Amino acid sequence: MRLACALGLLCLRGALSAGRHYLWYLGTLVVGSPELPELSGVGVVDGVQVEYYNSAAGELVSRRDWRPGGGAFDDAEDREAIVRDFQRDMRRKLAYVMGRFNHSAGVHTYQRISGCELDEGGAARFRTADAYDGQGLLTYDMERFSYSPLDPGAIYDKLFLEGYKIAVINVYQPMCLKLLKRYLEQDGHVLMRRVKPRVRVFQKTSAFSGGTEVTCLATGFYPRALELTLLRDGRPVPEQELTGGEVLPNGDGTYQLRKTLALSEEEEERRERHRYTCRVQHSGLDNGLEVDWGEDLEPDAGFIAVVVMGVLAVALVLPVAACVLRRKKGRGKEQSETSSNSSGP
């Protein structure tokens, strides 16, 4: 989980930096779980998923749905060979770390973020980081070809580092930059388009608790990387007080993100409430955008559609939940009656 969050932050920073583009691969190796493929991974360009791989199928799958035929590249076999090499390397590291921590059974994961960035001026960087069971393990400095173990037990010898340096210089970095440039050349109209978000701050009554909630909603934006902060009297509300926060797709190729704060009974009773502001950073905006609660800009069709979809989702979920509860109660009653009958004379 932490590695996935790290990927999100790296992608966000790259997307919000003018003129910078990136190609990141996130891979997860799993042992001890026969239900999951040993290795699965995704490739992401500027926040857009472009490839998927899992070892059960054994092939890279293009996610470029906007291109006829899916847009798979003709060098897939060469890149699948690199993926399998990564898989072998991650197996070795996972076995080493499990032995280091005396973990011999159960489900364990080894994750890796690896990829490249390309500045507008042509400067390129290659980065990679590893994690074990969701905890950061190693980060590699590709300029000095050294590593920083985030855990003191994760120590590898110089021979390993020298081999990795050769692989990065001659294989991984050239391939990554080649792919990134090809994606930008072929799909720049999709990957580099910018659609600014529409932002609203509104109050509503919770369908579950009946209390008052303040929601900050950004919708209709592209690419998906967006930073949203709910401010209370000019200060960020702690994330642990908020619900939501996941970027979700709209039906038109854009995205939405919302964060909600449940107001306390004390605040609801106060005449003078806190001032709530929604702050948004996105590559489609020249500058950051701040919208205060109470700034009722003219509602647009997209915003109304999002709110209606939310209401419909609640309306659908509640009857299903009620039905499930009734069934559980019915089963409980039947079991009670059966137990009573079986325990009789």
Side-chain angles (χ1 to χ4, degrees):
M1 291 299 294
R2 292 186 182 182
L3 191 65
C5 292
L7 175 65
L9 290 174
L10 289 170
C11 293
L12 177 61
R13 289 169 186 161
L16 295 180
S17 301
R20 177 177 295 181
H21 302 284
Y22 62 86
L23 170 59
W24 288 107
Y25 286 96
L26 171 61
T28 299
L29 186 77
V30 182
V31 295
S33 177
E35 297 83 8
L36 298 174
E38 182 185 39
L39 178 67
S40 59
V42 294
V44 179
V45 176
D46 290 357
V48 180
Q49 184 178 334
V50 292
E51 289 181 295
Y52 171 76
Y53 177 88
N54 79 69
S55 54
E59 62 179 0
L60 285 166
V61 178
S62 174
R63 295 299 197 200
R64 299 195 292 168
D65 298 331
W66 55 87
R67 297 189 69 84
F73 291 136
D74 54 9
D75 61 350
E77 290 186 5
D78 294 336
R79 291 187 293 118
E80 286 166 6
I82 292 177
V83 171
R84 288 190 289 271
D85 182 59
F86 262 66
Q87 185 174 0
R88 288 189 293 269
D89 181 61
M90 292 171 73
R91 279 178 188 157
R92 288 194 296 267
K93 289 188 174 62
L94 176 59
Y96 175 86
V97 177
M98 287 179 65
R100 178 74 186 183
F101 294 113
N102 198 25
H103 293 167
S104 58
V107 179
H108 297 282
T109 62
Y110 197 96
Q111 293 175 285
R112 175 172 295 171
I113 295 172
S114 190
C116 51
E117 296 179 352
L118 187 64
D119 285 347
E120 191 173 14
R125 280 172 298 279
F126 186 88
R127 299 183 184 180
T128 185
D130 291 4
Y132 171 67
D133 283 352
Q135 303 293 322
L137 190 69
L138 292 169
T139 58
Y140 296 92
D141 184 337
M142 290 301 133
E143 294 179 0
R144 299 178 179 85
F145 292 100
S146 61
Y147 67 94
S148 300
L150 304 181
D151 185 284
I155 303 299
Y156 297 97
D157 58 30
K158 293 182 179 180
L159 183 62
F160 159 76
L161 287 176
E162 190 62 30
Y164 194 73
K165 173 182 176 180
I166 294 172
V168 168
I169 292 176
N170 295 289
V171 181
Y172 302 146
Q173 183 166 303
M175 176 67 78
C176 184
L177 291 172
K178 175 185 174 183
L179 281 171
L180 176 56
K181 291 176 182 178
R182 193 188 304 180
Y183 275 121
L184 295 175
E185 179 183 346
Q186 295 188 6
D187 303 314
H189 64 291
V190 174
L191 300 173
M192 291 189 284
R193 67 187 176 98
R194 299 288 181 263
V195 182
K196 65 182 181 180
R198 300 187 296 275
V199 181
R200 299 289 186 272
V201 186
F202 58 93
Q203 171 188 318
K204 63 184 180 68
T205 300
S206 171
F208 298 98
S209 67
T212 302
E213 296 178 338
V214 174
T215 295
C216 174
L217 170 67
T219 186
F221 56 88
Y222 185 92
R224 75 187 304 275
L226 178 139
E227 188 175 353
L228 184 151
T229 306
L230 181 61
L231 306 175
R232 179 169 50 205
D233 298 332
R235 296 184 177 182
V237 177
E239 288 295 321
Q240 57 266 28
E241 296 183 24
L242 303 174
T243 57
E246 295 183 3
V247 178
L248 302 174
N250 290 324
D252 58 358
T254 63
Y255 296 91
Q256 62 170 285
L257 185 152
R258 71 174 66 201
K259 293 184 180 180
T260 298
L261 173 68
L263 301 186
S264 64
E265 294 182 4
E266 179 183 354
E267 184 174 355
E268 289 191 57
E269 293 172 357
R270 290 173 54 187
R271 292 186 178 181
E272 295 183 4
R273 296 185 176 179
H274 293 289
R275 178 173 60 89
Y276 290 98
T277 305
C278 187
R279 176 186 293 168
V280 172
Q281 294 283 345
H282 185 261
S283 58
L285 299 167
D286 293 332
N287 298 299
L289 177 65
E290 291 192 0
V291 176
D292 286 331
W293 182 16
E295 285 187 17
D296 289 329
L297 306 178
E298 293 223 2
D300 54 71
F303 174 71
I304 293 173
V306 170
V307 175
V308 170
M309 287 172 63
V311 172
L312 288 175
V314 172
L316 290 171
V317 167
L318 287 177
V320 172
C323 180
V324 171
L325 288 174
R326 283 198 299 270
R327 287 185 177 181
K328 285 186 176 180
K329 289 181 179 179
R331 292 195 192 102
K333 185 176 180 181
E334 290 176 2
Q335 292 174 357
S336 177
E337 291 176 354
T338 303
S339 300
S340 299
N341 292 335
S342 60
S343 61

